[in-house]
Amino acid sequence: MAVSSKIIVRVEDLHKRYGSEEILKGVSFTVRQGEALAIIGPSGTGKSTLLRCINRLTEPDRGRIWLEETEITSPHTDINKIRQQIGFVFQDFNLFAHLTALDNVRLGLLKVKKLPKKEATERAMHELARVGLAEHAQKYPAQLSGGQQQRVSIARALAMDPKLMLFDEPTSALDPELIGEVLQVMQKLAEEGMTMIVVTHEMGFARSVCDQVIFMEKGVIVEQGPPEQIFTNPQQPRTRQFLGKISELYGGAGR
Amino acid sequence: MLDKLLLIWESLPLLIRGAIVTLELTMSLLAIGFVLGLIVALGQVYGPRPIAMLMSGYERFFRAMPILVLLIVFFYGLAFLGVSLPAFGTAVLVFGLHSSAYQSQIFRGSIQAIKPGQILAARALGMTRLQVIRYITLPQALRLAIPGWSNEYSGVLKDTSFAFAIGVTELARQGWQIATRTREMFLVFISVALIYLLLTYLGTWLLELLERYLSVPGLAGQRREEHGRVV
């Protein structure tokens, strides 16, 4: 997983408030091409909001975000053009319930990218094969397990040929024995050089697959660094405390 | 006995002509109600606040009006305003507006039954609002709406008999004319009732076939057995 020096995403001083509650209080970071960034931290600290601000599914109140040279947060930017270049994987999959796995993956290619049907079908089948689900192409979401649904949703995002993939707790809604198959797909992606930001509670994944880890709490970045630093030698007492709690629960943060 | 059967047999062409008018009324009003109802529902769910309020006002007004009152007010009101619309056209318009209010609530319910996460996922792919409505919301909402819509069909089919009041010769009026001519009130209206029964049965049966044809695992149209197993 070669990380180049080219910056894919730059987030600058991001703020978001819901009513009286400030969810993001000035978050800044960059992600370089080929980098896998894990964002960890307790629930309700703005990790998902941060992710949704990046493709403006949530509108930030203040701060700027760039995808390569394009400012995402500029009012002159066609957000639909930007979203085509950013894959988003949701915690609860959000597959289109009335469409087969194939059509879920193909819809964006046909209607957003306007590919001809034959080409779209080939591309969609290729992506389904990539996540190991080619033989389930004709099944509907309700006929697939949670792990399979999440893999379809990853294929759906990948089909659009994104420059960046955002994962919002992609394994949190899964039965323990199904988490592995999804993480495996994500690991493969990271190894192939996909730039990705992963909000996760899977510390093992963050540690062994990601290049950078951000520990976030209460709307700010508490600590950021390579996984070795965060997991074995955290600089902030709060990071240490959080990881300690996690390892108490799961028996070793770096399992 | 035989003469009575003969009488029915002889009035059958007229009754069928009436039934055809009833069906024409029903189909036209449902089409108008479908288009307007869908617009009202989408406005209520996705529209900005003023639009949503306007749509709700429209829907409440037409649901509050008795159909017969509405029919007479429109028929004489339009004439008073100098607009000449034939009785059939007036009936279709009034029934259509009335039905659109009811249909809008069928559609609103089924639109709101769709998990919002799917909308987010579609937007995240780069779809516009209209694309989301067209490719994600409507295909699911319309499937979910079929049972409620079938109910609306059987309801308005019978409401069309109110068109009698402004002189449209649909099934009920046709029956009335035959009955007063032959003085066989009971017999004729039993035949009329049977025709209504047949039309209702046929229509709802066709809609049930449609529902089954369009059913998707895990979405609408789950089979009786699947529900029966858990309840």
Side-chain angles (χ1 to χ4, degrees), chain A residues 115-132:
Chain A
L115 290 190
K117 190 160 184 183
K118 184 166 175 284
E119 212 174 307
T121 307
E122 278 167 13
R123 179 69 202 261
M125 281 310 297
H126 170 77
E127 295 301 340
L128 281 173
R130 213 167 144 195
V131 297

Side-chain angles (χ1 to χ4, degrees), chain B residues 8-159:
Chain B
I8 294 301
W9 177 251
E10 278 170 351
S11 26
L12 211 51
L14 282 177
L15 287 177
I16 288 172
R17 202 179 299 166
I20 289 171
V21 174
T22 290
L23 268 185
E24 282 170 350
L25 272 174
T26 305
M27 295 302 154
S28 323
L29 85 88
L30 280 173
I32 292 179
F34 180 85
V35 174
L36 292 181
L38 209 51
I39 293 171
V40 170
L42 288 169
Q44 282 184 321
V45 180
Y46 295 126
R49 192 157 291 261
I51 297 282
M53 278 167 61
L54 191 74
M55 297 298 175
S56 297
Y58 170 92
E59 165 248 313
R60 300 246 158 96
F61 174 79
F62 279 106
R63 286 209 291 166
M65 287 297 119
I67 190 117
L68 187 60
V69 172
L70 212 54
L71 203 58
I72 290 169
V73 167
F74 262 72
F75 190 61
Y76 292 102
L78 285 177
F80 179 75
L81 291 173
V83 182
S84 74
L85 200 59
F88 182 86
T90 309
V92 166
L93 180 69
V94 169
F95 290 147
L97 293 173
H98 194 254
S99 176
S100 74
Y102 283 88
Q103 291 192 44
S104 72
Q105 296 315 289
I106 298 173
F107 297 136
R108 186 171 66 86
S110 57
I111 289 170
Q112 287 176 332
I114 300 168
K115 282 204 293 173
Q118 293 185 48
I119 311 297
L120 274 182
R123 293 309 306 269
L125 284 175
M127 284 194 197
T128 62
R129 275 170 208 279
L130 276 179
Q131 283 179 318
V132 173
I133 289 172
R134 176 154 171 215
Y135 299 116
I136 309 301
T137 307
L138 289 186
Q140 296 187 48
L142 292 180
R143 280 179 169 92
L144 293 171
I146 297 174
W149 208 79
S150 163
N151 200 26
E152 178 66 9
Y153 163 78
S154 60
V156 298
L157 176 75
K158 287 162 290 180
D159 283 350

Side-chain angles (χ1 to χ4, degrees), chain A residues 149-196:
Chain A
Q149 289 188 54
Q150 192 58 298
R151 280 145 68 200
V152 172
S153 96
I154 294 174
R156 174 174 70 181
L158 287 176
M160 302 295 283
D161 228 344
K163 289 178 178 155
L164 168 72
M165 287 281 287
L166 305 176
F167 293 87
D168 188 7
E169 300 197 28
T171 58
S172 296
L174 294 176
D175 290 341
E177 75 263 34
L178 301 178
I179 291 175
E181 63 188 69
V182 172
L183 291 182
Q184 225 169 13
V185 167
M186 291 168 62
Q187 178 169 4
K188 205 171 86 186
L189 265 183
E191 282 164 2
E192 288 166 10
M194 175 60 75
T195 311
M196 46 208 258

